[in-house]
Amino acid sequence: MEIQTETILRTENLKAFYVLDMHGTQKIVKAVNEVDLAIKENEIYGIAGESGCGKTTLLKALFNVIEPPLRLIGGKIYYRVNWEEVEVTSLSPEEKRRLRLEYISYIPQGSMSVLNPVLKIKESYQDFIASHVPEQSRKETMELAQKQIVELGLPKNILNAYPHQLSGGMRQRVTIALSALLSPRIMIGDEPTTALDVVVQRGVIQMLKEIQRKLQNTIILVTHDMGVHANVAHRIGIMYAGKIVEEGTTIQIFDNPLHPYTQFLINSLPKFGDKMMRESVPGSPPSLADLPRGCPFHPRCPYTKDICRESMPGFSYPDEKHRVACWLIGEGEHGKAS
Ligand code: SF4
């Protein structure tokens, strides 16, 4: 499953905070806090973590849509476009818009923000093309839509249906199909399988994999569902309290999770034939507006020691492609998940 490729999107020390005015008092929510990523072309990169850890905000920043109250406080985002690296945060609003139209697409949570309930699916395709490639004729759009629908194995008559005539899973597939229509080099998916039952979820995952295989592009996928990551991702970044705390190949994360938080996430998954009680992460995530000093996981961590309460650890690299931010790595004080 692992592949050798070039970096297509990277961030340097990215900080994106919500700055809120609470009756004259400023409240700062540190949703994305010093994140360094290097995402490769031709890979599916999963971002995992509990609700409220900053995953969706990180996606917004990577998609380069940072609007008040969200602010880019620091750091840079780079896309590699036509063999050149472009620092996207410094582009003009029009340049950013063009890049989003031509280069990168976004699959939102749920389909109804994409599909207009009073338009047939074919009209949503026409609207989409009209906003992205206005010079393309209706006839060409319909040919493109028909071709894509056949290639992705969607029902041929779907173009004449209204969204409410489709199941939730089918609407989500259409949403993903639309986001892939113009062959973007990067697709960003925000919980695209949430609220779907497992059978439908499997179909959506298969479709994402098929699109990535066909386009040889990059998919960045956020979900809290580790089972989805196990099925679809080549590499996974584990996010906690606005930070990436562990990153590795999917095999490294599942076979050798090293950060105590990752170990809890993996241990809480049901295992075939194992009737032992699953252990969930103790306590609850910290408020991003009031983070604890030091390692933000220390109030929940069973291995906390003094230094954890004082300062945030940097990354250790226990293996090629595997990095972990934990003071205990290498000291043998906590074992791997079993
Ligand atoms: Fe736990 Fe300390 Fe590691 Fe944080 S740095 S995860 S508190 S052991």
Side-chain angles (χ1 to χ4, degrees):
M1 211 151 150
E2 203 181 318
I3 39 182
Q4 297 291 327
T5 50
E6 302 257 0
T7 298
I8 194 163
L9 187 157
R10 74 183 176 90
T11 66
E12 271 177 10
N13 201 25
L14 189 67
K15 289 187 194 177
F17 298 171
Y18 293 93
V19 180
L20 308 168
D21 183 0
M22 309 290 280
H23 311 293
T25 310
Q26 203 178 59
K27 183 173 169 184
I28 296 184
V29 179
K30 297 181 177 177
V32 175
N33 199 358
E34 300 174 349
V35 169
D36 289 318
L37 287 175
I39 297 172
K40 313 285 181 190
E41 63 179 9
N42 197 13
E43 78 167 344
I44 301 181
Y45 185 91
I47 300 174
E50 291 165 293
S51 299
C53 71
K55 304 186 297 294
T56 295
T57 308
L58 176 58
L59 285 195
K60 282 186 193 164
L62 297 182
F63 192 52
N64 208 6
V65 179
I66 297 180
E67 290 166 346
L70 182 62
R71 285 200 210 156
L72 186 70
I73 301 297
K76 302 222 184 293
I77 304 169
Y78 300 89
Y79 295 171
R80 192 164 56 78
V81 183
N82 300 329
W83 309 106
E84 264 182 47
E85 200 167 63
V86 178
E87 203 284 276
V88 294
T89 46
S90 60
L91 298 178
S92 70
E94 179 53 25
E95 286 170 323
K96 286 181 188 172
R97 195 185 73 85
R98 284 251 48 99
L99 209 50
R100 283 199 295 271
L101 287 178
E102 293 166 5
Y103 195 71
I104 184 164
S105 70
Y106 195 91
I107 310 164
Q109 281 181 26
S111 54
M112 293 318 270
S113 58
V114 174
L115 303 177
N116 186 328
V118 297
L119 295 183
K120 290 182 174 177
I121 300 299
K122 66 180 176 190
E123 293 166 309
S124 286
Y125 268 83
Q126 283 157 358
D127 276 3
F128 179 82
I129 291 290
S131 64
H132 286 69
V133 198
E135 63 279 8
Q136 187 159 304
S137 70
R138 272 176 176 249
K139 184 166 172 286
E140 286 169 325
T141 300
M142 289 320 296
E143 284 169 3
L144 186 63
Q146 294 281 8
K147 181 167 170 275
Q148 192 206 35
I149 273 167
V150 170
E151 281 174 1
L152 294 177
L154 296 170
K156 285 188 188 145
N157 58 358
I158 205 170
L159 289 173
N160 282 317
Y162 286 97
H164 73 268
Q165 294 173 310
L166 306 177
S167 66
M170 195 53 75
R171 282 199 297 269
Q172 192 59 6
R173 286 189 208 202
V174 172
T175 303
I176 294 170
L178 267 175
S179 74
L181 188 63
L182 297 175
S183 306
R185 294 317 303 147
I186 305 171
M187 293 170 69
I188 290 183
D190 187 5
E191 305 264 9
T193 57
T194 298
L196 301 176
D197 67 57
V198 284
V199 177
V200 177
Q201 198 179 71
R202 205 177 85 181
V204 171
I205 289 170
Q206 277 308 116
M207 186 177 175
L208 278 170
K209 285 164 91 166
E210 176 62 22
I211 287 171
Q212 195 276 328
R213 193 190 57 74
K214 186 167 158 281
L215 299 180
Q216 301 271 291
N217 65 358
T218 298
I219 297 181
I220 305 168
L221 183 70
V222 151
T223 171
H224 60 272
D225 188 334
M226 292 301 285
V228 171
H229 287 301
N231 270 305
V232 75
H234 298 116
R235 291 193 303 140
I236 300 172
I238 305 292
M239 200 165 176
Y240 187 79
K243 291 179 181 292
I244 298 291
V245 294
E246 181 162 6
E247 182 188 69
T249 63
T250 302
I251 289 173
Q252 285 168 336
I253 294 293
F254 278 88
D255 283 2
N256 188 26
L258 292 174
H259 194 284
Y261 177 62
T262 316
Q263 294 183 350
F264 275 117
L265 290 182
I266 304 288
N267 278 340
S268 63
L269 290 173
K271 289 197 180 89
F272 218 45
D274 182 350
K275 298 198 172 108
M276 295 255 298
M277 186 81 103
R278 306 316 324 160
E279 204 183 350
S280 63
V281 192
S284 28
S287 161
L288 297 177
D290 186 20
L291 288 167
R293 190 185 160 110
C295 168
F297 192 57
H298 86 250
R300 306 170 79 186
C301 180
Y303 310 104
T304 303
K305 51 185 191 173
D306 289 348
I307 193 170
C308 307
R309 296 187 188 90
E310 290 304 316
S311 47
M312 175 70 197
F315 279 108
S316 303
Y317 293 80
D319 201 350
E320 203 192 351
K321 299 181 182 154
H322 196 173
R323 57 180 177 139
V324 193
C326 174
W327 284 118
L328 299 181
I329 293 306
E331 295 183 20
E333 291 192 30
H334 58 89
K336 65 180 193 178
S338 53

